[in-house]
């Protein structure tokens, strides 16, 4: 039944009601009991028809609104796609010519302190690509903001005291054992990544130049940021330099790693925080572990069934990073833990400079990516590192 038919039915019922009214008016009397019941019945039918018509109209409005939202969403997606396509073309043109499209309202590029500020459509791809290349950066807890950022850091208090839960009794104080909350400041340290591209590639219009540049710069950023997260730098990004002494395991023997050392290192990260943990080491250190066996003469290193990593040690995957130190006295060749314990702040204002003249004699073009970042440990109990013991001879000479 449609609205037109409902209106026709309502008109018929209203005509009957009007007939009753006309009859009592002509006879100058009141409704009889039967007439009153009939009139009320007819009125109820009109009310029901009106509600049905109203429901139909609201349903139509909802459908129209949904269609409008779908159209708006589709239009927004199309506009975003067109904007991204325009940005990609402009970025490629900027790399080839070092000239910006400065026509009003047609460019998302702007001039920054360290070069040209790249639109987020491209900048986000570079940063995302860099993060996806490294499980360390991917697992880190990320903060995308500019300026100094204070974050709380939790760790055990003095004498390994931690937050405790215990039974209580009336009139009896709970014993104080509280972990320690401190804070660290994430700053904006300026980082530059330089990529050189041959002009033969730059001038080849058939090459997807933007994706080439994105992947090259992302690789540079990944290598640098990963190294800083793992090793840190004095007065700059601290990264895993913040791992406290209580989370450091020193090998039992000087200059070598034993099976027991790895077990102790793993257990420095309590089971509640081990989900998602990885071992991080150099290729040479992994080679050493691949030759090790446990107390039952079983290989310590086993292939990774997922194929994502080379293998696993004590049930956790091994990630090889060229940024890690080798096995040597007083060095830290292995870090274990869940890298969500690292706070990684990356400012999104990525800036690009194109260096045409600097590498002209090499028939190359330089592309420099500038960004601001910082990384600190924000949960000390999620990470631990292994340090190689110093030999007695070396200790005596010092």
């Amino acid at each position: 039944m449609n609205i037109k038919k409902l209106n026709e039915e309502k008109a018929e019922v209203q005509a009957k009601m009007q007939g009753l009214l006309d009859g009592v008016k002509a006879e100058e009397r009141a409704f009889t009991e039967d007439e009153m019941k009939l009139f009320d019945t007819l009125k109820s039918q009109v009310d029901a028809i009106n509600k049905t018509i109203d429901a139909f109209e609201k349903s139509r409005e909802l459908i129209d609104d949904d269609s409008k939202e779908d159209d708006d969403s589709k239009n927004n997606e199309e506009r975003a796609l067109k904007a991204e396509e325009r940005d990609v073309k402009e970025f490629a043109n900027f790399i080839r010519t070092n000239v910006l499209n400065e026509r009003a309202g047609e460019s998302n590029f702007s001039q920054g302190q360290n070069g040209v500020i790249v639109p987020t459509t491209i900048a986000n791809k570079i940063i995302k690509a860099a993060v996806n290349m490294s499980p360390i950066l991917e697992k880190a807890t990320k903060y995308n903001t500019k300026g100094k950022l204070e974050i709380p850091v939790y760790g055990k208090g003095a004498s390994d005291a931690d937050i405790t839960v215990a039974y209580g009794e009336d009139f009896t104080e709970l014993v104080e054992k509280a972990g320690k909350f401190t804070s660290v400041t994430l700053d904006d340290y300026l980082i530059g990544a330089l990529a050189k591209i041959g002009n033969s590639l730059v001038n080849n219009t058939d090459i997807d130049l933007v994706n080439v540049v994105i992947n090259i710069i992302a690789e540079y950023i990944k290598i640098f940021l990963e190294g800083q997260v793992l090793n840190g730098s004095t007065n700059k990004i601290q990264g895993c330099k913040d791992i406290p002494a209580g989370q450091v395991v020193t090998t039992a023997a000087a200059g070598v790693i034993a099976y027991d050392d790895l077990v102790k290192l793993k257990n420095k990260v309590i089971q509640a925080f081990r989900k998602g943990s990885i071992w991080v080491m150099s290729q040479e250190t992994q080679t050493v572990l691949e030759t090790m066996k446990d107390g039952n003469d079983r290989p310590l290193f086993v292939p990774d069934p997922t194929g994502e990593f080379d293998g696993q040690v004590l049930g956790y995957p091994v990630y090889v990073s060229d940024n890690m130190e080798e096995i040597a006295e007083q060095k830290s060749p292995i870090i274990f833990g869940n890298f969500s314990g690292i706070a990684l702040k990356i400012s999104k204002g990525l800036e690009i400079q194109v260096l045409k003249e600097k590498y002209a004699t090499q028939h190359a073009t330089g592309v420099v990516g500038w960004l601001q970042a910082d990384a600190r440990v924000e949960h000390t109990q999620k990470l631990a590192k292994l340090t190689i013991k110093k030999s007695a001879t070396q200790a005596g000479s010092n």
Side-chain angles (χ1 to χ4, degrees), residues 42-76:
L42 294 172
K43 184 176 181 301
S44 297
Q45 291 179 8
V46 171
D47 290 341
I49 292 171
N50 284 334
K51 289 180 180 179
T52 304
I53 293 173
D54 186 53
F56 270 115
E57 290 176 346
K58 286 183 178 179
S59 175
R60 181 181 294 170
E61 289 175 3
L62 289 173
I63 292 173
D64 290 342
D65 287 343
D66 289 342
S67 298
K68 185 178 178 182
E69 288 179 4
D70 290 341
D71 290 341
D72 289 343
S73 177
K74 185 177 180 180
N75 290 335
N76 289 336

Side-chain angles (χ1 to χ4, degrees), residues 295-316:
N296 296 315
D297 202 36
R298 294 174 300 192
L300 178 65
F301 191 94
V302 296
D304 179 15
T306 67
E308 183 179 359
F309 299 90
D310 284 351
Q312 296 183 345
V313 170
L314 301 177
Y316 296 92

Side-chain angles (χ1 to χ4, degrees), residues 145-148 186-190 345-347 372-374:
T145 182
K146 293 183 178 181
K148 292 180 183 278
L186 291 173
D187 213 326
D188 285 329
Y189 294 112
L190 186 62
K345 182 168 83 74
I346 299 179
S347 300
Q372 293 174 318
D374 196 4

Side-chain angles (χ1 to χ4, degrees), residues 21-55:
L21 290 170
D22 290 343
V24 296
K25 184 178 179 181
E27 297 177 9
E28 296 183 348
R29 62 177 177 82
F31 278 140
T32 64
E33 185 176 347
D34 290 339
E35 289 173 333
M36 191 71 245
K37 287 181 180 179
L38 177 58
F39 187 87
D40 288 341
T41 300
L42 294 172
K43 184 176 181 301
S44 297
Q45 291 179 8
V46 171
D47 290 341
I49 292 171
N50 284 334
K51 289 180 180 179
T52 304
I53 293 173
D54 186 53

Side-chain angles (χ1 to χ4, degrees), residues 70-333:
D70 290 341
D71 290 341
D72 289 343
S73 177
K74 185 177 180 180
N75 290 335
N76 289 336
E77 289 177 2
E78 289 177 352
R79 282 194 293 267
L81 183 59
K82 288 180 180 178
E84 182 175 348
E85 290 174 350
R86 185 185 65 239
D87 291 343
V88 167
K89 289 180 180 179
E90 286 200 29
F91 188 44
N93 179 68
F94 175 61
I95 294 170
R96 291 188 171 101
T97 66
N98 204 12
V99 175
L100 283 177
N101 176 8
E102 297 180 350
R103 288 174 295 179
E106 294 188 16
S107 178
N108 286 329
F109 289 72
S110 58
Q111 201 71 35
Q113 188 175 2
N114 295 294
V116 172
I117 299 176
V118 179
T120 55
T121 53
I122 295 173
N124 288 349
K125 285 185 177 181
I126 295 176
I127 294 173
K128 184 178 179 180
V131 169
N132 288 343
M133 288 177 180
S134 168
I136 293 170
L137 303 181
E138 190 274 328
K139 290 174 181 291
T141 301
K142 296 167 197 65
Y143 300 90
N144 295 316
T145 182
K146 293 183 178 181
K148 292 180 183 278
L149 175 66
E150 293 280 343
I151 58 173
V153 175
Y154 176 75
K156 292 182 179 180
S159 303
D160 279 345
D162 203 351
I163 294 174
T164 57
V165 179
Y167 289 106
E169 299 288 344
D170 289 345
F171 310 111
T172 302
E173 295 282 351
L174 288 173
V175 177
E176 285 186 3
K177 276 192 178 181
K180 185 179 180 182
F181 277 96
T182 57
S183 66
V184 296
T185 301
L186 291 173
D187 213 326
D188 285 329
Y189 294 112
L190 186 62
I191 297 168
L194 172 62
K196 283 196 300 182
I197 309 168
N199 285 344
S200 297
L201 176 63
V202 171
N203 297 328
N204 190 341
T205 56
D206 294 332
I207 297 296
D208 188 353
L209 185 58
V210 172
N211 279 331
V212 170
V213 173
I214 285 174
N215 290 329
I216 292 174
I217 296 180
E219 176 66 20
Y220 277 68
I221 292 174
K222 168 252 179 180
I223 293 171
F224 181 84
L225 278 182
E226 184 180 280
Q228 292 303 295
V229 169
L230 294 173
N231 303 312
S233 294
T234 303
N235 298 325
K236 295 292 184 180
I237 293 176
Q238 293 300 294
C240 289
K241 286 171 70 74
D242 284 342
I243 294 177
Q247 292 295 105
V248 177
V249 172
T250 302
T251 59
V256 296
I257 298 174
Y259 173 81
D260 290 352
D261 298 327
L262 298 172
V263 173
K264 292 176 183 177
L265 180 63
K266 174 181 72 73
N267 290 339
K268 276 291 183 180
V269 178
I270 62 175
Q271 188 174 15
F273 299 140
R274 279 188 221 146
K275 184 178 180 180
S277 291
I278 58 175
W279 303 89
V280 183
M281 62 190 72
S282 70
Q283 186 64 66
E284 290 189 13
T285 303
Q286 177 180 304
T287 301
V288 171
L289 266 58
E290 287 186 68
T291 63
M292 293 175 63
K293 295 182 179 180
D294 64 14
N296 296 315
D297 202 36
R298 294 174 300 192
L300 178 65
F301 191 94
V302 296
D304 179 15
T306 67
E308 183 179 359
F309 299 90
D310 284 351
Q312 296 183 345
V313 170
L314 301 177
Y316 296 92
V318 175
Y319 173 65
V320 172
S321 173
D322 292 336
N323 290 296
M324 288 299 293
E325 296 178 325
E326 303 297 345
I327 299 174
E329 294 180 10
Q330 294 186 287
K331 298 296 184 181
S332 299

